[in-house]
Amino acid sequence: PLIGTQKGIWLAATLYFLVGAGIFWLTQTKKVAKLLISCFIFLSIFIGFVLPSWNKHFLVSGPFANWRFFVQDSREQAEKRMQSSQLLFYKEGLEGVVAVKRLGDQLFLRINGKTDAATVLDMDTQILSGQLPMLLHPDLQDVLVIGLGSGVTLGSVETHPLKTVE
């Protein structure tokens, strides 16, 4: 997480190239071949260094969940759709990428490209997920909520008088 996924891959590839070049230089190969291979290796490392950063909008767009957009639309349409929202927060961690995007008056919390919470579209589902079990049980005292997301479901559960909530 300190250097990010893209730079981490570049760093690992660079180390592999350098180790390979070192081993190659120790072999009994002609100097011309060593020079050509070394030039190729250092050119590859340089190209990786100067490549532009990955498109963060694409990384958090969830192509696995929204694959229809990527299959049916042209590249320009897909890029326009991704750029239509504003990326408010982006952070790479050990287990995933967390992002907050704004589209009009809606906010979306995305983890690894999957929307886990939104301020408009699925707010009813988040609230109902907390209320429905509470209303179906006659005397709930202890409740376990698995998964926090944005905390709306937990907040919905806590509108009821309970002894403990985990």
Side-chain angles (χ1 to χ4, degrees):
L2 185 63
I3 62 173
T5 304
Q6 183 179 6
K7 289 180 183 171
I9 291 171
W10 176 81
L11 180 62
T14 299
L15 292 173
Y16 285 136
F17 274 138
L18 292 174
V19 168
I23 292 169
F24 187 73
W25 270 94
L26 296 174
T27 63
Q28 300 295 325
T29 308
K30 293 181 181 179
K31 287 190 178 197
V32 173
K34 287 181 180 181
L35 185 62
L36 287 174
I37 295 295
S38 297
C39 288
F40 169 76
I41 289 172
F42 287 109
L43 181 63
S44 298
I45 292 170
F46 177 74
I47 288 171
F49 183 73
V50 298
L51 282 175
S53 295
W54 290 344
N55 184 337
K56 291 178 181 175
H57 284 280
F58 178 75
L59 293 175
V60 299
S61 65
F64 56 87
N66 304 312
W67 61 270
R68 287 181 186 85
F69 296 136
F70 295 93
V71 172
Q72 296 171 350
D73 292 353
S74 68
R75 181 184 178 116
E76 292 78 24
Q77 289 171 316
E79 286 179 2
K80 185 177 179 183
R81 179 179 292 110
M82 286 185 285
Q83 298 293 340
S84 66
S85 59
Q86 180 184 6
L87 188 60
L88 301 176
F89 178 82
Y90 177 91
K91 179 78 174 171
E92 292 183 32
L94 286 175
E95 289 84 24
V97 176
V98 177
V100 176
K101 295 187 86 172
R102 177 191 307 274
L103 180 61
D105 62 345
Q106 300 178 59
L107 292 175
F108 300 90
L109 170 66
R110 289 190 167 180
I111 300 173
N112 292 329
K114 180 190 171 292
T115 300
D116 283 343
T119 55
V120 178
L121 290 177
D122 68 340
M123 188 60 75
D124 294 341
T125 303
Q126 295 176 67
I127 293 170
L128 187 62
S129 294
Q131 290 296 316
L132 199 55
M134 304 303 296
L135 298 172
L136 293 176
H137 193 283
D139 187 35
L140 271 177
Q141 297 296 312
D142 304 306
V143 175
L144 170 66
V145 178
I146 299 176
L148 184 60
S150 63
V152 172
T153 300
L154 175 63
S156 178
V157 164
E158 290 184 332
T159 62
H160 295 268
L162 299 167
K163 194 166 37 172
T164 61
V165 179
E166 287 190 43

